[in-house]
Amino acid sequence: GWQNDPSTLDKWLSKVDPAYGWGNEAVEVSLQFVHEDQDVNEVIVIGDAGPNTRADTDYKRKRGKQQWNGTAFETAVYFDDQLQKIKDRGLKINSFYLREGAKQSFQNMANVTGGNCEKLDIDSANGAEQLTGLISKAVLKVCGGDALVQAYDAKFTHIS
């Protein structure tokens, strides 16, 4: 489920052992979760790989069937269908890609839903500051529009 307590999220993430190398990511499952939660009014996607294709989803579901059995996500869903549901609900996806290989699909998510897409350089010296700024501005725009974003920029954006 969703988590809004940073310490609980940090504790959970510390136990995650990434497997790397299985290609695209299960963005469709995240979007399904977002679509089903009527309290969500902002979507931010950060990643280093694009979403699963239909073929990816079918293949991965067959290989990892036990992972999904008995969960709310047991029935396979597909990225393009979930993206359309997010768009139909009027939600914007603000996407931040970490690797150039994800740029096209992340730009597509943002374009389809009217959101924004930017490269996030987490390896740079100011990566954490960039992430904080990107997310803060996305949330401020939803809460109060461009005026809040401009106020944030005026206070926190420094020209080097």
Side-chain angles (χ1 to χ4, degrees):
W2 294 114
Q3 188 51 249
N4 60 9
D5 178 355
S7 62
T8 303
L9 183 59
D10 183 55
K11 183 178 176 183
W12 178 79
L13 282 172
S14 69
K15 296 176 187 174
V16 172
D17 185 22
Y20 303 106
W22 220 21
N24 291 329
E25 301 292 345
V27 178
E28 70 278 2
V29 176
S30 298
L31 295 184
Q32 176 188 11
F33 198 89
V34 165
H35 173 68
E36 292 175 357
D37 186 338
Q38 294 302 307
D39 292 331
V40 172
N41 59 16
E42 180 72 15
V43 182
I44 298 172
V45 177
I46 302 171
D48 64 351
N52 285 327
T53 63
R54 285 180 176 265
D56 291 337
T57 298
D58 291 341
Y59 173 77
K60 291 175 181 180
R61 285 296 183 123
K62 286 178 187 168
R63 296 258 337 254
K65 191 174 184 177
Q66 70 282 356
Q67 173 185 350
W68 301 104
N69 288 345
T71 72
F73 307 103
E74 188 168 1
T75 302
V77 295
Y78 298 98
F79 172 75
D80 51 343
D81 297 335
Q82 296 306 309
L83 182 62
Q84 185 62 47
K85 288 179 179 182
I86 296 298
K87 178 184 177 188
D88 291 347
R89 215 175 115 192
L91 294 174
K92 293 180 182 179
I93 295 177
N94 293 297
S95 59
F96 305 99
Y97 61 95
L98 307 176
R99 307 277 182 260
E100 285 300 315
K103 181 179 181 177
Q104 183 177 0
S105 57
F106 276 58
Q107 186 68 57
N108 180 59
M109 279 186 263
N111 288 345
V112 166
T113 62
N116 296 307
C117 177
E118 292 187 41
K119 180 175 177 64
L120 177 60
D121 187 0
I122 60 170
D123 296 321
S124 74
N126 67 342
E129 186 175 326
Q130 181 190 13
L131 177 59
T132 300
L134 292 171
I135 292 175
S136 295
K137 288 194 272 187
V139 171
L140 287 170
K141 185 165 183 139
V142 168
C143 294
D146 291 332
L148 282 181
V149 173
Q150 290 168 358
Y152 178 92
D153 282 339
K155 183 165 178 102
F156 296 108
T157 303
H158 306 288
I159 301 173
S160 302

